[in-house]
Amino acid sequence: MAQRLVTQTDDNPIPSYVPIYDRLYADIVDGVYPAGTQLPGEAALAEKYGVSRNTLRQALTILNEDRMIRKKQGKGTFITYDPSRRSVLGCHVNPVLDCALQAVDEIKMSYNYGPPTEVAQQKLGIRASDIVMASDNLYCSEGLAVGYSFVQIPVRYISAFNIDLNRQGQADELVNRRIFEAAAKARISVKVVAAEENVTGHLSVQPGQPVLYIEDVLFGRESAGLARCKFYLNPAFYDVEFVL
């Protein structure tokens, strides 16, 4: 069972909500309340754990701040802790999918082929004569656009993935999974930027609102540039952790 260290001194007694917070935290981590499921109501939880509803609410507030749970107006409280969620650095994942606080249930993609931009040439180590697949991707959860990405992949590497882009779902598989699984290393930069027109046209954010920007340049085993990915994430829907 997951344990959290609680230290108590006589001069500074533990607030009444801390033990219930610890018990709920452990139960969430241990899968008593699986990811994505709805927590029982406050009355039921207070009775189960033997605390007042006021004490329970204090514990739930901290769990919400810790992004273990998420309160949805008029719907209830849901578990957002996901034991399968991995850090962006340390293993190569698609942050817009793997770091979302609630499941991405729709991806809208459009892609074309053309010459690489000068920036893509420099960062991927490719020639101006190379052709790249350029994909615009919008990620939605419960009807809201929560993330957007622009991905460039040199066409000469696509055949190595045994992908048939004429088949339904294969472009999604390539852009959102396979390039990350194939990467041997990555160069990642992260910034908080003010949303500009190119972002507000995709995400459910207002101009000037802070968004999380991640540039992820993926490299193969022989340092070949596999892809350049630009992600824009609405911070309200993401929990991104970096492990150095």
Side-chain angles (χ1 to χ4, degrees), residues 162-220:
N162 294 318
I163 289 285
D164 181 359
L165 294 175
N166 293 316
R167 292 178 55 194
Q168 182 71 24
Q170 292 287 282
D172 174 21
E173 177 72 11
L174 173 66
V175 169
N176 290 305
R177 288 297 180 196
R178 297 289 292 278
I179 57 174
F180 298 94
E181 294 171 354
K185 61 181 180 179
R187 184 181 299 123
I188 302 172
S189 62
V190 183
K191 299 177 182 178
V192 176
V193 300
E196 298 181 352
E197 185 176 348
N198 66 315
V199 176
T200 58
H202 297 288
L203 294 183
S204 305
V205 296
Q206 298 298 316
Q209 180 176 331
V211 296
L212 184 62
Y213 169 70
I214 301 175
E215 182 186 52
D216 193 355
V217 182
L218 303 172
F219 298 91

Side-chain angles (χ1 to χ4, degrees), residues 11-226:
D11 294 333
N12 186 25
I14 295 174
S16 60
Y17 61 82
V18 172
I20 179 60
Y21 166 85
D22 284 338
R23 291 178 63 190
L24 279 167
Y25 184 100
D27 283 349
I28 291 171
V29 171
D30 290 337
V32 175
Y33 306 110
T37 62
Q38 184 175 1
L39 270 178
E42 288 185 359
L45 284 174
E47 181 179 359
K48 176 179 179 179
Y49 291 97
V51 296
S52 69
R53 292 182 68 170
N54 183 59
T55 298
L56 174 70
R57 288 191 188 110
Q58 290 177 294
L60 293 176
T61 296
I62 300 175
L63 287 168
N64 187 67
E65 292 173 353
D66 288 346
R67 299 192 173 185
M68 299 291 286
I69 61 174
R70 181 180 178 86
K71 296 180 180 180
K72 297 184 180 181
Q73 187 68 32
K75 294 184 178 180
T77 301
F78 295 81
I79 304 300
T80 53
Y81 169 78
D82 184 356
S84 67
R85 188 187 302 151
R86 300 168 290 178
S87 62
V88 173
L89 194 61
C91 54
H92 306 297
V93 299
N94 183 337
V96 78
L97 294 178
D98 293 272
C99 298
L101 290 173
Q102 57 191 54
V104 170
D105 52 28
E106 182 182 10
I107 302 175
K108 300 176 182 178
M109 299 182 63
S110 64
Y111 62 90
N112 54 44
Y113 302 91
T117 62
E118 290 186 8
V119 174
Q121 292 175 46
Q122 177 186 3
K123 297 200 172 187
L124 292 172
I126 57 179
R127 303 180 298 266
S129 58
D130 284 329
I131 301 298
V132 298
M133 173 188 179
S135 179
D136 282 286
N137 315 287
L138 186 64
Y139 305 85
C140 302
S141 178
E142 299 182 359
L144 291 176
V146 299
Y148 164 73
S149 73
F150 177 69
V151 179
Q152 295 171 293
I153 306 172
V155 168
R156 66 173 183 242
Y157 296 129
I158 294 178
S159 60
F161 291 100
N162 294 318
I163 289 285
D164 181 359
L165 294 175
N166 293 316
R167 292 178 55 194
Q168 182 71 24
Q170 292 287 282
D172 174 21
E173 177 72 11
L174 173 66
V175 169
N176 290 305
R177 288 297 180 196
R178 297 289 292 278
I179 57 174
F180 298 94
E181 294 171 354
K185 61 181 180 179
R187 184 181 299 123
I188 302 172
S189 62
V190 183
K191 299 177 182 178
V192 176
V193 300
E196 298 181 352
E197 185 176 348
N198 66 315
V199 176
T200 58
H202 297 288
L203 294 183
S204 305
V205 296
Q206 298 298 316
Q209 180 176 331
V211 296
L212 184 62
Y213 169 70
I214 301 175
E215 182 186 52
D216 193 355
V217 182
L218 303 172
F219 298 91
R221 298 189 183 281
E222 298 180 358
S223 297
L226 292 180

